[in-house]
């Protein structure tokens, strides 16, 4: 067996962390659907802090990366690490871009100012480039929302996920605990600064290819991703004997659903809340989730399902949200009028994700693993 390319048997998953990823993904879908009725004003948004789920995902990723790979570098090359991460993430990135292109022509509305006159060739080109996850400049924005992945907006966070993985594999995996602590502390300072000085008092941003948005994206990545890695290395787990998944889920829902704090006259107060959630609350949730245990078969099945579906639903739901947003805008639908269609879209997002998982993601990843990670 070639040790550089051998398939390393995966460690057991933290079941609760898998389930929490699914809870956060469901909150993201609901947040994006409700956003269609906010008029672009965060003060009016229900599930007001749903975007913080991205920062929570980054912390989960950093923790799991540390747990899964920190003790494997004596028998795994950097190339093998990148292969494993590509096999895990890239198939659904491609599917998200394809779904975005397939549904693009159902999304026509004045709220997407750049869609008028877009050719099929341009959409095909953007789809192919989107499959690579390379950020697209504004001239390729076929929607008008300044997205560097205009067919599937949430792909921006996977772009930063890859950056985090690259930094870990090339440099930060070699950091001592002290050096990593210093890095995380500096990143926390940048997080606080951004939250307190952002024009709208939040850490929203990262999806556009310009200097400001790229800076915001890196700020959003660095503390939670490497804070999660540090948490894994330190082994700071909160042992919860009963209902760890339930309590952690309630904490996530509460954090993401909290109303805007401070209003227009106190943006800094909302920024302080978000910085506190990212720096303090999210590590507690991850620590509780990793330290807790699932005892019943039903709870284990729920966590497994949520963990399996979380990534597919996150990376494929937004083309459906584009359609719902266009429908709500064209009809000037109220929240009450849109609620049945919103629920239908929510269920449809999970159905689409489940189909992608079973019919595409799992078989493709299995084939890629056999082809590129199992060598005789």
């Amino acid at each position: 067996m070639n040790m550089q390319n051998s398939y390393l048997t995966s460690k057991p998953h933290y079941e609760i962390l898998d389930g929490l990823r699914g809870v956060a993904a469901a909150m993201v879908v609901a947040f994006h659907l409700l956003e269609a009725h906010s008029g672009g004003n965060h003060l009016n948004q229900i599930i007001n802090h749903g975007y913080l789920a991205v920062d929570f995902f980054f912390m989960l990723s950093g923790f799991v990366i540390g747990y899964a790979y920190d003790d494997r570098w004596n028998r795994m090359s950097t190339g093998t690490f990148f292969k494993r991460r590509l096999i895990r993430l890239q198939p659904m990135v491609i599917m998200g871009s394809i779904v975005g292109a397939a549904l693009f022509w159902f999304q026509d509305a004045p709220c997407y100012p750049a869609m008028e006159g877009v050719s099929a060739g341009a959409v095909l080109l953007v789809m192919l480039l989107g499959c690579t996850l390379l950020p697209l400049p504004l001239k390729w924005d076929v929607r008008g929302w300044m997205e560097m992945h205009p067919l599937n907006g949430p792909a921006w966070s996977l772009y930063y996920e890859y950056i985090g993985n690259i930094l870990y594999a090339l440099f930060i995996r070699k950091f001592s605990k002290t050096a990593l602590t210093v890095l995380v502390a500096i990143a926390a300072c940048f997080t606080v600064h951004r939250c307190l000085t952002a024009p709208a008092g939040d850490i929203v941003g990262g999806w556009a290819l310009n200097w400001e948005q790229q800076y915001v994206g890196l700020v959003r990545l660095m503390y939670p991703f490497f804070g999660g890695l540090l948490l894994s290395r330190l082994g700071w787990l909160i042992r919860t004997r009963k209902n760890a998944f339930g309590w952690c889920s309630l904490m996530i829902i509460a954090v993401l659903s909290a109303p805007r704090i401070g209003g227009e006259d106190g943006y800094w107060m909302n920024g302080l809340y978000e910085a506190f959630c990212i720096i303090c609350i999210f590590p507690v949730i991850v620590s509780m989730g990793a330290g807790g245990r699932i005892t019943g078969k039903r709870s284990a099945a729920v966590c497994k399902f949520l963990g399996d579906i979380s990534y597919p639903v996150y990376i494929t739901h937004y083309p459906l949200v584009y359609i719902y947003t266009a429908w709500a805008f064209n009809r000037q639908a109220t929240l009450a009028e849109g609620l049945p269609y919103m629920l239908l879209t929510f269920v449809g997002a999970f159905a689409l994700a489940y189909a992608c998982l079973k019919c595409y993601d799992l078989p493709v990843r299995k084939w890629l693993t056999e082809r590129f990670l199992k060598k005789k």
Side-chain angles (χ1 to χ4, degrees), residues 176-257:
S176 65
K177 290 181 182 178
T178 301
L180 182 59
T181 300
V182 172
L183 173 66
V184 170
I186 294 172
C189 294
F190 277 91
T191 298
V192 172
H193 178 266
R194 176 61 192 177
C195 288
L196 295 181
T197 61
D202 55 43
I203 202 166
V204 171
W207 52 77
L209 190 60
N210 57 42
W211 289 111
E212 179 183 2
Q213 289 291 300
Q214 293 293 294
Y215 167 75
V216 174
L218 287 173
V219 169
R220 295 187 72 176
L221 168 75
M222 292 299 291
Y223 173 79
F225 190 89
F226 295 110
L229 175 64
L230 179 62
L231 189 63
S232 173
R233 287 188 179 179
L234 294 175
W236 289 353
L237 305 183
I238 299 174
R239 303 294 180 181
T240 306
R241 294 184 178 181
K242 294 183 178 180
N243 301 321
F245 175 64
W247 285 115
C248 290
S249 297
L250 287 175
M251 290 172 69
I252 292 174
I253 293 170
V255 166
L256 302 186
S257 301

